[in-house]
Amino acid sequence: MRRTSYKLTLPAVAAAAMLMFPGALPASASSTSAGSVAAAGAALTLTGGSCEGLARRFLCSVAFSGAVAPVSVRWFVDGSHVPAYDNRTFVGIGCQPTFRYDIRAVISDGTGASVEYRSNPVCRSGNP
């Protein structure tokens, strides 16, 4: 029989104790540690977005950081929600040449924070 040994560090033991006995910490210590964890995480931020016009189509993308799960991405075209595009960071949107469109993506996370990307491109004509 082979014997395996594991080395536990003090932070690992402390974390396990907090999970097993959450009431063991004073209220001020637990609220301080929870607050510092939330403050240490970055807030939801829109890091990029674009809508490139091709012939009769827009290729749109959004990028974000600092989101807390669950994250949702909702797309709107001319004010109408398009559920088929939901939770995608890259979509292809068909369009009618020479018309201007209002394209919007709303990214929301588990904390209730949200950011928005908006573009107003004109649809190009031509062959794809």
Side-chain angles (χ1 to χ4, degrees), residues 3 11 16 18 21 34-35 37 39 58 61 69 74 76 82-83 104 115 117 124-125:
R3 186 174 227 174
M18 285 189 283
F21 307 105
V37 170
F58 298 116
S61 66
R74 293 176 47 137
F76 299 84
V82 185
R104 188 167 57 111
V115 292
Y117 168 75
R124 295 179 10 187
S125 61

Side-chain angles (χ1 to χ4, degrees), residues 2 24 28 46 50 69 79 113-114 118:
R2 186 175 168 176
S28 60
L46 184 68
S50 69
S114 67
R118 179 169 264 176

Side-chain angles (χ1 to χ4, degrees), residues 8-22:
L8 293 176
T9 61
L10 184 57
V13 172
M18 285 189 283
L19 289 173
M20 291 174 55
F21 307 105

Side-chain angles (χ1 to χ4, degrees), residues 1-5:
M1 183 163 134
R2 186 175 168 176
R3 186 174 227 174
T4 306
S5 64

Side-chain angles (χ1 to χ4, degrees), residues 35-64:
S36 60
V37 170
L44 175 60
T45 306
L46 184 68
T47 59
S50 69
C51 273
E52 299 297 322
L54 299 177
R56 299 184 173 142
R57 178 165 297 280
F58 298 116
L59 298 180
C60 299
S61 66
V62 291
F64 54 91

Side-chain angles (χ1 to χ4, degrees), residues 34-128:
S36 60
V37 170
L44 175 60
T45 306
L46 184 68
T47 59
S50 69
C51 273
E52 299 297 322
L54 299 177
R56 299 184 173 142
R57 178 165 297 280
F58 298 116
L59 298 180
C60 299
S61 66
V62 291
F64 54 91
S65 65
V68 175
V71 178
S72 70
V73 180
R74 293 176 47 137
W75 289 90
F76 299 84
V77 177
D78 288 337
S80 296
H81 176 224
V82 185
Y85 300 154
D86 280 358
N87 300 317
R88 298 178 186 204
T89 57
F90 182 83
V91 295
I93 301 170
C95 61
Q96 181 67 34
T98 71
F99 285 87
R100 181 173 297 278
Y101 288 79
D102 177 35
I103 299 173
R104 188 167 57 111
V106 178
I107 299 106
S108 304
D109 74 0
T111 67
S114 67
V115 292
E116 180 179 291
Y117 168 75
R118 179 169 264 176
S119 181
N120 295 100
V122 174
C123 187
R124 295 179 10 187
S125 61
N127 294 327

Side-chain angles (χ1 to χ4, degrees), residues 25-42:
L25 287 176
S28 60
S30 62
S31 63
T32 302
S33 63
S36 60
V37 170

